[in-house]
Amino acid sequence: MYQKEYDNLLLDVKRLCEKIVQMDAELQHYRTRSYKDCGNEGIEAYAEFKRQEKLRAEVRNELKHKNVRISELQRLMKQERQRENERRSNLFLQRFKENARLVISDDQYELILKMTMDGETQCLKS
């Protein structure tokens, strides 16, 4: 149910990480230009550096939000798997009980159930 959104978010995160690496290289370029150049070129390079720095911060923020959503989806998918496993387990137990009652008498079934419950109790005590 959540798998498609999860897969899309993973692709987005990968793309954003690549974009941040590229932006870091650009920032380094503008930083070195602003330090080396004097006059208007240095000022323009510094202004571009600040603009790029702001864009990088926005991309980082977007990346953080996507990572939070990925964590939420992982939690939801885990809960969904647990519910499905419980449902299957309960279904198996129900079928087992029905089939056991067909094969053995009610008294035998109760005795087996009591022995099983006593065994589980003994395991829990030790």
Side-chain angles (χ1 to χ4, degrees), residues 17-60:
C17 286
E18 291 169 355
K19 189 173 182 177
I20 285 178
V21 169
Q22 178 187 4
M23 292 177 102
D24 284 342
E26 290 175 9
L27 279 173
Q28 184 64 33
H29 170 73
Y30 286 117
R31 184 180 296 132
T32 55
R33 269 192 50 206
S34 68
Y35 291 143
K36 288 181 180 179
D37 295 339
C38 296
N40 286 341
E41 290 178 5
I43 293 171
E44 290 171 6
Y46 182 75
E48 184 62 25
F49 168 75
K50 284 307 216 181
R51 191 179 73 74
Q52 290 291 328
E53 196 174 47
K54 185 177 179 183
L55 290 174
R56 184 186 182 282
E58 290 172 2
V59 172
R60 287 283 304 160

Side-chain angles (χ1 to χ4, degrees), residues 92-119:
F92 172 78
L93 239 119
Q94 184 65 30
R95 287 181 184 162
F96 178 80
K97 287 178 182 178
E98 290 171 1
N99 290 335
R101 286 189 177 175
L102 292 174
V103 175
I104 58 178
S105 68
D106 286 341
D107 293 335
Q108 290 172 329
Y109 177 78
E110 293 297 325
L111 179 63
I112 292 171
L113 187 61
K114 183 179 182 300
M115 290 171 58
T116 305
M117 295 304 252
D118 288 344

Side-chain angles (χ1 to χ4, degrees), residues 7-92:
D7 292 340
N8 289 338
L9 281 172
L10 287 179
L11 292 173
D12 287 346
V13 165
K14 182 180 178 185
R15 180 185 54 80
L16 288 173
C17 286
E18 291 169 355
K19 189 173 182 177
I20 285 178
V21 169
Q22 178 187 4
M23 292 177 102
D24 284 342
E26 290 175 9
L27 279 173
Q28 184 64 33
H29 170 73
Y30 286 117
R31 184 180 296 132
T32 55
R33 269 192 50 206
S34 68
Y35 291 143
K36 288 181 180 179
D37 295 339
C38 296
N40 286 341
E41 290 178 5
I43 293 171
E44 290 171 6
Y46 182 75
E48 184 62 25
F49 168 75
K50 284 307 216 181
R51 191 179 73 74
Q52 290 291 328
E53 196 174 47
K54 185 177 179 183
L55 290 174
R56 184 186 182 282
E58 290 172 2
V59 172
R60 287 283 304 160
N61 195 29
E62 183 181 352
L63 181 64
K64 287 178 186 176
H65 288 295
K66 288 189 185 292
N67 280 327
V68 167
R69 181 62 183 153
I70 284 174
S71 297
E72 290 173 0
L73 288 174
Q74 287 172 336
R75 183 183 53 79
L76 290 171
M77 289 188 303
K78 181 179 178 183
Q79 289 175 350
E80 195 173 83
R81 285 190 303 271
Q82 287 173 339
R83 280 193 298 267
E84 182 63 25
N85 288 341
E86 284 180 24
R87 187 188 67 77
R88 286 182 187 155
S89 177
N90 290 340
L91 186 62
F92 172 78

